[in-house]
Amino acid sequence: MQRLHEAGYSVGAHGAAVLLGVRGYYLDTMGLAGVNDRKLYDDAMFLVSPRIHLAANANTDPGAHRRGIATLLPGIHPYKRGRHGISRGPGYPALRPATPGERLPVWRDGMTDVYTGIAINIHKGSRTSVSSEGCQTIWPGQYTEFMEATYAEMTAMNQSIIYYVLIEERA
């Protein structure tokens, strides 16, 4: 809860469920010490509401180093229920940006300005890859429970939007 307050978000004041992503949460315990690694579930995501606190291992970085690949900027981002993987079929339950054109602010590898990322979803990763071209992914063994709880809290709190607060771990 303190991390949400530090980021300028108060669950009690808003009376709603919120997601907190912490980039580099396992900064010194997974991967290279002191480094926010890519291709590793070394971040964390928390579902916080007046009724529940639930944690999951996550990845908030792209799964590659490539010019132009997107990394979501820290901040408060609106998300809505949706589906991921729809280009290959019906997809599966996930969260999609609740912004016009599903656009969110991103950094792009090899570029210096802030750009727009399209469909930076929150979805399931895989056991062999973080499955991210810029999306926020959750370890597959925790995904179903986490997403079902998120959807349930959105319903219980009468929310069509859930805010995702992304912060970076301090060294």
Side-chain angles (χ1 to χ4, degrees):
M1 295 289 281
Q2 179 180 345
R3 290 311 224 8
L4 286 169
H5 291 289
E6 290 170 2
Y9 198 95
S10 174
V11 174
H14 295 277
V18 63
L19 296 174
L20 171 64
V22 183
R23 181 174 284 143
Y25 185 81
Y26 295 103
L27 196 64
D28 292 327
T29 56
M30 294 177 78
L32 298 173
V35 176
N36 178 43
D37 300 281
R38 289 191 181 181
K39 304 181 185 179
L40 189 64
Y41 293 98
D42 65 343
D43 307 319
M45 194 174 297
F46 302 90
L47 169 61
V48 181
S49 82
R51 301 169 359 128
I52 188 173
H53 292 166
L54 181 64
N57 293 78
N59 172 69
T60 65
D61 309 296
H65 290 276
R66 183 177 70 237
R67 181 172 173 77
I69 200 165
T71 301
L72 182 63
L73 267 68
I76 301 173
H77 308 288
Y79 276 81
K80 63 186 177 188
R81 295 174 194 190
R83 300 190 75 73
H84 182 74
I86 57 178
S87 64
R88 297 177 296 280
Y92 59 88
L95 294 169
R96 298 183 67 93
T99 54
E102 295 191 342
R103 297 177 181 277
L104 293 173
V106 298
W107 291 304
R108 293 197 178 276
D109 282 5
M111 301 175 176
T112 56
D113 294 327
V114 172
Y115 293 87
T116 299
I118 299 171
I120 305 293
N121 297 339
I122 297 174
H123 68 85
K124 178 172 53 176
S126 79
R127 294 185 184 280
T128 59
S129 159
V130 294
S131 303
S132 174
E133 292 283 322
C135 292
Q136 314 292 283
T137 60
I138 298 172
W139 174 251
Q142 297 170 319
Y143 183 77
T144 300
E145 176 188 14
F146 193 85
M147 198 53 57
E148 285 176 356
T150 300
Y151 277 26
E153 285 307 292
M154 290 175 72
T155 298
M157 300 295 166
N158 198 29
Q159 293 176 237
S160 59
I161 304 293
I162 188 165
Y163 286 93
Y164 174 50
V165 180
L166 177 61
I167 63 172
E168 294 189 341
E169 181 60 64
R170 298 177 300 268

